[in-house]
Amino acid sequence: MIDVSQRLEELDWIPRPRLLALRRLGIEKVEDLLTHFPRRHEDRTEFPHFPREESEIPVCLCGEVIKTSLRRFGGWKKIFEATLQESQANALSEPLVCRWFNLHYVQKMIVTGQRIVVFGKPRLRGKRICMDHPEFEIIENDNEMSIHFRRITPIYPGTEGLSQRTLRSLLYRVLNDVVDQSLETLLPRALMNGNMTRAAAIRAIHFPEHWQERDAARDHLVLSEFFAMQMLIASRRADVSIRTGQAHCGSGALFTRFVKSLPFELTGAQHKVIAEIRRDLAAAHPMNRLLQGDVGSGKTVVAIAAMLLVVEAGYQVAFMAPTQILAEQHYDVLRRWLDPLCVRIFLRTAARQEQSGPLPLFADEDSHIIVGTHALLYESVSFSNLGLVVIDEQHKFGVTQRARLTTREPAPDVLVMTATPIPRTLTMTIYGDLDVSTIDEMPRNRGKIVTAVRDEAKLPEVLRFLRTQLEAGRQLYVIYPLIDESEKLDVKAAAAEYELWRERLHPFRCELLHGRIAPAEKQQIMERFRRGEANALISTTVLEVGVDVPNASVMLIENAERFGLAQLHQLRGRIGRGEHKSYCILLTSAQANEASAKLAVLERTGNGFEVAEADWELRGPGDLLGTAQSGLPALKIGNLKADVELMRRARAAAVSIFQADPRLESPENQRFRRLIVEQRGHTFSNVS
Ligand code: ADP
Ligand code: MG
């Protein structure tokens, strides 16, 4: 008899190499093994007849190997073929040819006379029905039939060093020995369907008796997973809501003067979100709000409005940007708009410390607004009375980092801003612990951005076009493909790239920008570009967020297929900021359909939310739940896209539990408290 919390090495019948292979998959405890869920199931209760036509839907077939052969092509490349005949062959049966290209190990495994099960798409090749690279399993003897065949059979993900069969046998035996009582049912009554326990669900997900049972088990396990996640989110929200806060809202006189001084009218959407923020600032409980808006929708102005309300009430503001360049830029923008209002601003980054205002300052305490990078989080900036923390471009900061600056008492109000729209259905998960304000309208004075995908072969034409734009006085960004600034930058390659562009654009002046340039110099380069002393900026993606040069209205992105859609949309947001018509050219050499479908989305729409929805359709959520950023556990079974309805139910259940018992004090809620503490890896303040 075994318990789910036991370590696998305590089970002495598991050979050591297996344990090591399991550990590589992150499976160390019995529970880890039981929650290594199948990625799909095969119906091996009865195999269909061999197909005589191709099909897009993969099928699972069983047959005997009647012939194998190995052919060479193109020198050293090999094709291994195994011809299968179905067990109950009749006059109409066609053999099936399974083919593997350059897979040495397959040819060693399959021999004539074996019975094997294959899974794949049947294709017509000449006159033969073929399956290329099918998944396969060899039937060794009839004893093992009951585990691997004649049933709905589980197929597991990522089993390097472990065959499907080994893993399946392991699970079969462990499930046989495990004590049901050690598998606690996590779901609250409201989410349970019938009375399937967690133990029953786990048994059924691995070895279901029939498809309905598999589906019910999956629903149970997905709901459990989502529920745990939503409880974690709800607990974060509860953490904030029970902390002591203060009202941080002035009368609005300063704010009104600021709005009057602007060279434009605020949009309706900006007014709407400012009102939402203002209500939060005026309330005694701490604000915890996300400001969401497409690139260029004017979030900075909204943030400044919030800051002024707080400053007027006599409190300080911390304004955090994800990069040095952005911190400097924000500082300059703030000074331009707020110096006339005598607001004292202090810039604090690793490279530069500066202050503004009518009086010389000697201490942070004297400043109203401190702008900085996340150095602000770690340095002991002595805020005397911090009222508001504004965090720009939230996706660059993690939840835990955010917590660092905001868990002081009394709690400051927190406004996080993001220009990365996410699909609506994801907001409840990724930003589930925040209230959300959305700017869903662009300022009217925006020039249009035309986006065009062009093949690299068209570069000469593209260059001619760029020159006409430069001649008309516009400025140009060239983004070259170095996706990740942390990738070791080959400075030589950057220099070569730069030389190339200087020649191409001669006699226009170019500047080079990349992540290895010292911050102070970067700042000077940006400044020269802003002043129009350079016509073109050849840059990596350091340019990505927030940079604002209205006269730069043309952007060329090289190897565009290498970037994600969201990132391309962000990059494109650097242009279309002035009154000029803007052009974004996506240069690509990729012939792949997938890449061109992806890039076509950007040609079609300029709306960030639509881009996000399309990206989500094409690619799935993948990195959106990246644990570092969301602070959420990775999903083992649920699918954020396919299981939206289950997520909604899980969320509703979690919210109602916290509504009824915000501190989780009642006896029946103790298991939920344990669930949260376990996920957080430590206690959480209002529950312990
Ligand atoms: P983002 O939302 O991407 O951070 P910014 O706040 O940087 O956008 O605003 C982009 C540009 O639009 C800035 O130059 C800003 O001054 C300008 N802007 C902001 N609000 C308006 C408005 N209502 N009308 C016209 N221009 C605006
Ligand atoms: Mg911005």
Side-chain angles (χ1 to χ4, degrees):
M1 287 291 109
I2 54 183
D3 185 285
V4 290
S5 60
Q6 264 175 284
R7 302 187 60 79
L8 289 172
E9 59 236 31
E10 293 170 42
L11 312 182
D12 51 13
W13 51 269
I14 305 181
R16 193 157 168 77
R18 300 266 149 84
L19 285 175
L20 293 177
L22 286 165
R23 195 171 299 159
R24 277 198 296 277
L25 294 175
I27 300 173
E28 306 205 344
K29 289 193 290 188
V30 171
E31 179 159 30
D32 301 332
L33 183 64
L34 295 182
T35 55
H36 188 67
F37 296 119
R39 84 185 135 84
R40 61 184 179 84
H41 294 80
E42 281 180 5
D43 193 341
R44 297 181 179 177
T45 43
E46 250 177 284
F47 295 101
H49 285 298
F50 279 18
R52 277 178 286 153
E53 275 155 19
E54 15 183 62
S55 108
E56 266 310 309
I57 302 159
V59 288
C60 181
L61 305 169
C62 176
E64 184 178 330
V65 180
I66 53 169
K67 195 174 94 187
T68 65
S69 71
L70 186 66
R71 287 196 289 129
R72 284 171 190 282
F73 68 101
W76 53 273
K77 295 178 201 155
K78 292 176 194 162
I79 304 181
F80 174 68
E81 291 188 353
T83 307
L84 307 193
Q85 180 152 65
E86 72 181 271
S87 321
Q88 271 108 36
N90 59 33
L92 291 176
S93 315
E94 294 272 350
L96 175 79
V97 180
C98 298
R99 314 194 295 181
W100 289 270
F101 299 83
N102 289 317
L103 280 183
H104 193 59
Y105 74 93
V106 176
Q107 137 207 356
K108 284 206 215 150
M109 291 169 76
I110 296 180
V111 292
T112 310
Q114 276 172 339
R115 272 197 298 154
I116 69 175
V117 174
V118 292
F119 178 81
K121 291 180 189 172
R123 293 272 180 231
L124 202 56
R125 294 282 180 266
K127 286 192 173 144
R128 309 187 304 174
I129 296 283
C130 293
M131 242 186 216
D132 289 343
H133 288 258
E135 292 180 29
F136 69 97
E137 212 172 305
I138 299 156
I139 302 177
E140 269 156 18
N141 60 54
D142 280 350
N143 294 346
E144 54 177 26
M145 282 304 243
S146 59
I147 302 181
H148 305 290
F149 304 100
R150 294 200 184 129
R151 64 158 64 250
I152 297 174
T153 309
I155 307 292
Y156 294 95
T159 54
E160 205 174 311
L162 282 169
S163 69
Q164 288 290 336
R165 185 182 305 243
T166 307
L167 204 54
R168 206 179 287 132
S169 305
L170 210 59
L171 268 153
Y172 195 82
R173 176 142 178 205
V174 168
L175 279 170
N176 209 39
D177 294 351
V178 78
V179 180
D180 273 8
Q181 284 71 29
S182 70
L183 280 157
E184 192 185 13
T185 301
L186 301 171
L187 279 189
R189 273 261 140 241
L191 290 178
M192 275 172 69
N193 180 10
N195 42 19
M196 182 182 256
T197 59
R198 180 170 177 80
I202 294 231
R203 288 181 189 288
I205 197 73
H206 291 289
F207 296 100
E209 294 288 331
H210 43 76
W211 291 104
Q212 292 92 311
E213 190 185 54
R214 199 275 314 253
D215 293 346
R218 185 178 183 280
D219 279 1
H220 181 111
L221 295 167
V222 172
L223 274 170
S224 304
E225 181 169 60
F226 286 177
F227 174 70
M229 184 182 263
Q230 290 295 345
M231 285 298 278
L232 182 66
I233 293 167
S235 75
R236 281 189 195 142
R237 191 183 260 275
D239 258 3
V240 174
S241 71
I242 63 157
R243 282 166 49 204
T244 356
Q246 282 169 310
H248 301 116
C249 195
S251 69
L254 200 53
F255 162 72
T256 309
R257 277 173 60 200
F258 166 66
V259 173
K260 286 219 178 97
S261 75
L262 287 173
F264 47 75
E265 298 271 302
L266 294 182
T267 62
Q270 283 170 320
H271 278 298
K272 178 195 70 178
V273 300
I274 290 172
E276 285 165 358
I277 292 167
R278 193 168 183 168
R279 214 172 314 129
D280 279 1
L281 292 175
H285 71 258
M287 169 166 87
N288 205 23
R289 186 169 283 279
L290 175 79
L291 176 59
Q292 192 176 213
D294 210 344
V295 271
S297 60
K299 292 182 292 296
T300 315
V301 173
V302 171
I304 294 175
M307 293 182 210
L308 292 179
L309 290 167
V310 172
V311 167
E312 196 184 10
Y315 294 94
Q316 286 179 303
V317 176
F319 188 7
M320 288 200 311
T323 65
Q324 181 89 23
I325 289 189
L326 278 180
E328 309 246 359
Q329 183 181 288
H330 281 319
Y331 175 69
D332 293 339
V333 168
L334 287 176
R335 288 204 51 180
R336 190 151 20 103
W337 279 338
L338 301 187
D339 276 0
L341 304 179
C342 298
V343 174
R344 293 190 301 273
I345 307 160
F346 192 88
L347 175 69
R348 181 151 199 154
T349 68
R352 202 169 142 211
Q353 294 202 4
E354 213 178 276
Q355 59 204 29
S356 76
L359 296 167
L361 303 174
F362 299 101
D364 298 349
E365 294 105 77
D366 293 328
S367 51
H368 294 129
I369 299 174
I370 302 184
V371 185
T373 53
H374 43 314
L376 270 189
L377 291 169
Y378 305 104
E379 265 177 43
S380 54
V381 178
S382 45
F383 294 104
S384 46
N385 54 350
L386 185 61
L388 172 68
V389 178
V390 178
I391 305 177
D392 194 15
E393 306 300 347
Q394 150 72 9
H395 63 294
K396 303 274 168 176
F397 292 99
V399 169
T400 35
Q401 282 178 309
R402 200 204 308 157
R404 203 162 175 141
L405 192 60
T406 57
T407 48
R408 43 177 79 220
E409 293 283 348
D413 286 318
V414 176
L415 180 67
V416 296
M417 304 199 283
T418 178
T420 311
I422 57 172
R424 273 173 237 299
T425 47
L426 268 183
T427 310
M428 65 179 163
T429 301
I430 293 185
Y431 296 128
D433 59 332
L434 302 170
D435 295 311
V436 179
S437 288
T438 305
I439 306 184
D440 49 10
E441 177 189 359
M442 289 299 233
R444 269 179 301 277
N445 64 350
R446 281 304 132 78
K448 206 174 142 39
I449 304 182
V450 176
T451 300
V453 180
R454 288 288 177 271
D455 195 278
E456 261 170 13
K458 294 274 167 61
L459 186 63
E461 269 167 56
V462 170
L463 283 177
R464 270 198 296 282
F465 172 75
L466 296 181
R467 301 184 74 94
T468 60
Q469 289 293 310
L470 292 171
E471 275 152 18
R474 303 288 80 76
Q475 285 165 287
L476 164 71
Y477 295 112
V478 174
I479 309 294
Y480 64 85
L482 189 85
I483 300 222
D484 184 355
E485 280 293 325
S486 67
E487 246 176 56
K488 192 167 173 293
L489 173 67
D490 188 341
V491 178
K492 258 199 219 144
E497 190 84 21
Y498 174 59
E499 272 313 311
L500 195 61
W501 278 100
R502 261 172 45 131
E503 277 166 36
R504 283 172 180 166
L505 299 176
H506 182 82
F508 293 102
R509 287 181 307 274
C510 300
E511 291 264 18
L512 176 68
L513 192 70
H514 60 68
R516 289 296 164 89
I517 294 177
E521 203 187 328
K522 247 190 235 169
Q523 176 66 17
Q524 284 165 9
I525 294 170
M526 280 312 300
E527 209 33 63
R528 286 199 292 273
F529 186 67
R530 198 189 308 283
R531 285 199 301 262
E533 290 166 20
N535 307 89
L537 191 64
I538 318 301
S539 174
T540 60
T541 56
V542 283
L543 196 67
E544 186 180 345
V545 272
V547 171
D548 189 19
V549 182
N551 188 49
S553 61
V554 189
M555 175 175 282
L556 177 93
I557 304 179
E558 289 193 77
N559 287 83
E561 75 283 352
R562 291 185 54 190
F563 298 92
L565 270 186
Q567 197 181 12
L568 288 170
H569 180 70
Q570 281 282 318
L571 284 166
R572 169 171 75 170
R574 301 306 112 224
I575 57 173
R577 301 198 145 232
E579 73 270 31
H580 309 290
K581 186 165 181 184
S582 296
Y583 301 90
C584 177
I585 300 156
L586 305 173
L587 215 51
T588 170
S589 59
Q591 309 299 330
N593 282 340
E594 207 179 309
S596 56
K598 178 174 99 174
L599 298 179
V601 170
L602 296 171
E603 285 184 308
R604 205 165 57 229
T605 177
N607 178 316
F609 287 94
E610 284 172 23
V611 171
E613 295 286 347
D615 198 19
W616 162 249
E617 279 309 315
L618 287 170
R619 192 180 49 127
D623 46 7
L624 279 178
L625 258 197
T627 47
Q629 279 165 34
S630 63
L632 295 172
L635 293 173
K636 283 187 149 182
I637 186 166
N639 177 320
L640 289 175
K641 195 192 304 190
D643 300 318
V644 170
E645 201 37 53
L646 296 179
M647 183 66 92
R648 207 164 275 143
R649 286 174 56 199
R651 176 164 177 79
V655 167
S656 81
I657 287 169
F658 269 93
Q659 249 159 20
D661 183 10
R663 290 166 196 268
L664 298 188
E665 284 161 337
S666 77
E668 72 271 16
N669 284 341
Q670 292 320 296
R671 63 197 172 115
F672 301 141
R673 166 198 285 222
R674 282 198 304 278
L675 177 69
I676 290 163
V677 169
E678 202 175 286
Q679 288 187 88
R680 287 190 166 194
H682 58 85
T683 52
F684 86 100
S685 56
N686 63 325
V687 177
S688 47

